[in-house]
Amino acid sequence: MYTGREHGNRRNTTEAPKNSQGAAFPPTFSLSEVKNKQRRHLMFMKLKQEKRKQKMQLKKKRRKEREALGDKAPPKEVPKTIENQRVYDETTVDPEDEEVAFDEGTDEFSAYFNRLTNPKVLITTSDRPRGRTVRFCEQLATVIPDAHVYYRRGLALKRIIPQCVARGFTYLMVINEDRKVPNGMVLCHLPDGPTAHFKVSSVRLRKEMKRRGKDPTMHSPEVILNNFSTRLGHTIGRLFAALFPHDPQFVGRQVATFHNQRDFVFFRFHRYIFKNEKKVGIQELGPRFTLKLRSLQKGTFDSKFGEYEWVLKRHEMDACRRKFQL
């Protein structure tokens, strides 16, 4: 008996496209067309595994070719990253620029870099801080030499700043919190500013870190500043550098690192030891956190009438992923 279904099947088989050898081409297919979630996931993982396998085979083939050619092998290709594809910034600092050197000699940090002042830091919090924020401040005080932690007690920053200046403090650091978690930092250089406001994220205290070393000693650490290349980044780098004494005590073998990558400043605190002439062992001491600059204000903190040098406009400045501010 003849049915329409047989006719349809016969028509589909006759209309399948063929190449010159007579084999049928596979139909165009997309994983998004698979409606079953589990089947789609399995097919995706299988496809991903095949791509990884092909990549590894190609890598092995290139390595064998390089070994066969020896010294005549062509240089390795530099992989494209967001960092090396960075959009050029006109404010990039040249270390030999006379204008930059003059500005550094007359800015707010010149007294510190000319060894006329020694850093003294007051660390406080927002009103009614929770335990995690208090512990974070206490651990920061062990990282920064001559740092003192005081509780806020409801005082306004405009009243705190003149008291800090009268007592010889060179910095006021305020740690803000939200939902019992530190989420902001105001860093005010005294007595003339500037004042920087940072977003704080990824805070990990010492007890939360695996394989951490013993608590840091009282020695003054060395300071490493990475990738602060623009005029704004140069100012922020000098702001961080002036937190620590000029002459580190190398006996302590401690290093504080501020690493800028894609406008995020990663802070790490390590202790190092020389194993031999070529190898060095490092041990993280903590705490660790990440900073994102929100604003830079001239002078000391003034939320109403302060003049801002730079303010983060997220929708405008973060539109291009390859353009960085620091």
Side-chain angles (χ1 to χ4, degrees):
M1 182 179 177
Y2 175 76
T3 60
R5 182 178 298 177
E6 292 175 0
H7 176 72
N9 292 340
R10 190 178 303 153
R11 183 179 59 189
N12 290 340
T13 54
T14 55
E15 292 180 0
K18 295 184 179 181
N19 60 4
S20 58
Q21 283 78 20
F25 283 112
T28 56
F29 177 73
S30 175
L31 283 176
S32 59
E33 296 176 3
V34 180
K35 303 301 181 183
N36 189 300
K37 184 178 179 180
Q38 293 179 346
R39 181 176 174 81
R40 185 171 65 244
H41 176 71
L42 289 172
M43 293 177 71
F44 173 74
M45 295 303 294
K46 189 176 180 181
L47 181 65
K48 195 174 180 182
Q49 191 175 4
E50 289 176 359
K51 286 184 177 180
R52 190 185 297 118
K53 191 176 179 181
Q54 292 174 3
K55 189 176 180 181
M56 292 299 294
Q57 289 175 352
L58 183 62
K59 195 174 181 180
K60 287 180 181 178
K61 183 181 177 182
R62 287 178 178 173
R63 187 167 58 210
K64 287 180 180 178
E65 289 176 356
R66 291 184 64 82
E67 290 175 356
L69 292 172
D71 296 335
K72 297 180 180 179
K76 288 185 178 180
E77 295 180 1
V78 179
K80 289 185 178 181
T81 62
I82 293 180
E83 282 80 12
N84 61 26
Q85 298 294 314
R86 176 176 181 171
V87 176
Y88 176 74
D89 195 325
E90 296 177 353
T91 63
T92 301
V93 173
D94 184 2
E96 299 178 357
D97 193 341
E98 295 180 359
E99 182 182 351
V100 174
F102 176 78
D103 290 344
E104 289 180 357
T106 56
D107 67 359
E108 300 89 343
F109 309 106
S110 59
Y112 164 79
F113 285 99
N114 293 329
R115 300 175 183 268
L116 301 177
T117 59
N118 292 319
K120 186 179 179 183
V121 184
L122 185 144
I123 302 175
T124 187
T125 62
S126 55
D127 292 332
R128 299 173 184 173
R130 299 291 180 169
R132 184 175 174 80
T133 305
V134 173
R135 288 193 298 274
F136 180 52
C137 293
E138 290 172 349
Q139 292 184 15
L140 280 177
T142 62
V143 172
I144 304 171
D146 204 6
H148 307 268
V149 180
Y150 288 93
Y151 294 108
R152 182 77 170 268
R153 296 178 182 173
L155 290 174
L157 290 182
K158 284 189 177 182
R159 292 183 59 188
I160 296 176
I161 289 173
Q163 296 178 18
C164 292
V165 175
R167 296 183 183 184
F169 285 98
T170 61
Y171 270 98
L172 172 64
M173 181 184 293
V174 184
I175 305 298
N176 297 317
E177 70 172 10
D178 183 35
R179 298 179 184 178
K180 305 180 183 180
V181 177
N183 74 327
M185 176 190 292
V186 176
L187 194 57
C188 180
H189 183 258
L190 303 176
D192 301 320
T195 302
H197 179 212
F198 298 94
K199 175 188 174 183
V200 180
S201 60
S202 304
V203 177
R204 294 189 67 180
L205 303 179
R206 290 191 180 118
K207 284 190 176 181
E208 301 166 358
M209 298 174 61
K210 295 180 180 179
R211 300 174 185 173
R212 68 179 179 89
K214 294 182 179 179
D215 290 345
T217 58
M218 300 298 291
H219 297 93
S220 299
E222 304 165 52
V223 181
I224 297 176
L225 302 169
N226 284 338
N227 298 337
F228 294 94
S229 56
T230 64
R231 292 296 292 265
L232 175 64
H234 215 58
T235 302
I236 297 301
R238 288 168 67 84
L239 183 74
F240 289 139
L243 280 169
F244 297 86
H246 236 299
D247 299 315
Q249 297 172 333
F250 297 102
V251 178
R253 297 178 285 109
Q254 297 178 156
V255 182
T257 305
F258 294 91
H259 176 74
N260 172 43
Q261 186 171 358
R262 304 181 190 181
D263 288 344
F264 288 91
V265 181
F266 300 91
F267 176 81
R268 299 292 184 269
F269 193 56
H270 291 93
R271 180 183 290 125
Y272 64 88
I273 184 171
F274 292 102
K275 295 182 177 180
N276 52 43
E277 294 180 354
K278 295 184 179 179
K279 290 187 178 181
V280 178
I282 60 173
Q283 192 175 42
E284 189 169 359
L285 305 179
R288 66 162 67 167
F289 54 90
T290 305
L291 300 174
K292 173 79 170 177
L293 183 64
R294 289 281 185 81
S295 65
L296 182 66
Q297 181 182 349
K298 288 185 178 180
T300 56
F301 179 81
D302 190 350
S303 58
K304 286 187 178 180
F305 306 106
E307 181 182 354
Y308 287 88
E309 292 186 36
W310 184 88
V311 178
L312 174 64
K313 298 177 181 177
R314 190 164 58 87
H315 296 290
E316 296 179 13
M317 296 178 178
D318 293 350
C320 179
R321 294 182 62 199
R322 295 185 294 112
K323 187 170 183 179
F324 307 120
Q325 310 299 322
L326 300 182

